[in-house]
Amino acid sequence: MSITIVLPTYNEAENLPKLVSALLSLPLDLSVLVVDDHSPDGTGRIADTLSQGHPGRVFVLHRAGKQGLRSAYMEGFQKAFDTGAEAVVQMDADFSHDPAVLPEMARRIADCDVVIGSRYVKGGSLDDRWPAWRKLLSAFGNFYARTILSFPLRDVTTGYRMWRREALRNMPLDRIRSNGYIFLVEMVYVAYLMNYKISEVPIHFADRRWGKSKMSVRIQLEAAVRIWDVWWHYRDLRRKTRSSKLTM
């Protein structure tokens, strides 16, 4: 099975070479698509060098500037479809998502529509270096989103996911409007409403060791407000889901 990793980047010059090396060393038929938003630290140039050093395995999409997570992934998905990927992976470029989990995700995707790397199932964990307040904030944000949207996944805010090609192509991607942190929640919520088979694989979520985090309290507060818009936006799909379950 051919797998394409879609890797949005902004100022990940220190992480990218190490991450690409780790990904390409996995026993998988795997390629990496770097979607760089004109990083001022030269991430895009590094990506080009990696592409030249690994022809046919590392590809680069250069964008004019910071255009948001949604558009980065939408462009990346289309490129992955065009190159014939049978599975598409979303993951962060800062080593918070361990590449070593990908073989297990690839094993499960044969019987699923999407496999997610979960911090909140048995065996999952958060970085020990995180202070208690940060762990509580992460857990509460996940609990809040799960409660408002009323769906049973344990980790709805994770950004580590592998999609089966057909499942991702059948998603109503044109309806997905969020362009920040909440984009990740919206995508998996739609998959749930479409009755996709979703599997959760335990992961250890590590804190970044190089570079600067893009997460902030402002982004998290914005996500808390936007979750209500997501709930309202998909009221038609909720009705269809309830109706289909009642007639089964």
Side-chain angles (χ1 to χ4, degrees), residues 171-190:
M171 287 275 287
L173 296 176
D174 57 325
R175 286 194 64 177
I176 295 177
R177 305 183 299 176
S178 303
N179 200 33
Y181 179 65
I182 197 65
F183 164 78
L184 299 169
V185 179
E186 185 172 354
M187 275 204 73
V188 77
Y189 183 53
V190 173

Side-chain angles (χ1 to χ4, degrees), residues 51-92:
S51 179
Q52 293 166 9
H54 301 280
R57 298 203 69 190
V58 179
F59 305 90
V60 189
L61 279 178
H62 293 282
R63 308 202 314 158
K66 293 186 74 173
Q67 300 174 42
L69 196 61
R70 175 191 175 278
S71 62
Y73 272 126
M74 294 304 174
E75 290 185 40
F77 293 159
Q78 188 56 58
K79 179 69 173 178
F81 295 151
D82 292 344
T83 55
E86 296 172 286
V88 180
V89 173
Q90 295 174 271
M91 70 183 298
D92 293 344

